[in-house]
């Protein structure tokens, strides 16, 4: 494992993704019957999303903490953009086509892409703005993008002093909205697991 990649995590990531997909599928009928409540208990999308954030903190920090890999921030950011943005952009554009099904015209194109009227497609394509009109689950990718850009700095703090990570965790509870603070906790937990992973195994 000289690259720092832990291959069995890919399988776990796949199961978590499947759980999220099933959870969203059954969530539309949440209010109708207890069978959906039981199914959602098994396929809990919220917990799977939390798991993804912990996993991101882990896999993004592990190679830098244990393999003396140097953080080249520009290259790191470029890799994150290439990993997250292309599929996200294609997804938004497909949903936009569906959103206006059959009513596309030059005026519609002008309003959507030039005037940036509802559903504010350019704001949503920016990903880091809190706009999720077309692709509602896009908030998770927004969090993923923002915090993955912070992780290199958390790695530097962790290498300098492990207790610094705890200080940042406490500090994060006073910054931002509750959901943002909780997601930061997940990412920091992932980094903490990466620190102690060799001892844990």
């Amino acid at each position: 494992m000289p690259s720092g990649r832990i291959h069995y995590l890919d399988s776990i990531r796949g199961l978590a993704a499947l759980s999220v997909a099933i959870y969203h599928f059954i969530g539309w009928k949440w209010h109708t019957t207890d069978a959906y409540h039981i199914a959602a208990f098994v396929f809990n999308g919220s917990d799977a999303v939390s798991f993804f954030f912990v996993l991101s903190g882990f896999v993004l920090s592990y190679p830098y903490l244990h393999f003396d890999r140097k953080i080249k921030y520009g290259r790191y950011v470029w890799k994150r953009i290439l990993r997250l943005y292309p599929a996200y952009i294609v997804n938004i554009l497909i949903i936009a086509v569906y959103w206006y099904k059959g009513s596309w015209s030059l005026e519609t194109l002008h309003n959507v892409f030039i005037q940036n009227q509802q559903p504010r497609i350019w704001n949503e394509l920016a990903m880091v703005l809190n706009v999720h009109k077309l692709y509602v689950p896009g908030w998770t990718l927004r969090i993923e993008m923002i915090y993955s850009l912070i992780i290199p700095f958390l790695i530097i703090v962790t290498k300098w002093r492990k207790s610094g990570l705890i200080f940042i965790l406490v500090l994060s509870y006073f910054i931002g909205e509750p959901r943002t603070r909780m997601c930061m906790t997940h990412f920091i937990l992932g980094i903490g697991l990466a620190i102690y992973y060799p001892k844990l195994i």
Side-chain angles (χ1 to χ4, degrees), residues 78-113:
W78 182 242
K79 283 176 73 175
R80 295 308 296 161
I81 288 171
L82 287 179
R83 182 167 181 87
L84 296 175
Y85 267 97
Y88 178 76
I89 289 169
V90 168
N91 190 35
I92 294 296
L93 293 176
I94 288 171
I95 294 170
V97 168
Y98 178 76
W99 180 285
Y100 287 101
K101 52 183 180 270
S103 64
W104 284 103
S105 65
L106 287 177
E107 183 182 358
T108 303
L109 288 170
H110 182 268
N111 291 342
V112 171
F113 291 102

Side-chain angles (χ1 to χ4, degrees), residues 38-79:
I38 294 166
F41 181 75
V42 176
F43 299 103
N44 192 321
S46 298
D47 287 348
V49 168
S50 296
F51 170 77
F52 273 118
F53 292 150
V54 173
L55 185 62
S56 289
F58 180 91
V59 298
L60 291 173
S61 61
Y62 182 73
Y64 297 103
L65 292 172
H66 296 290
F67 292 90
D68 293 326
R69 190 182 292 179
K70 303 292 182 201
I71 299 174
K72 297 176 181 173
Y73 191 72
R75 187 168 183 268
Y76 171 88
V77 169
W78 182 242
K79 283 176 73 175

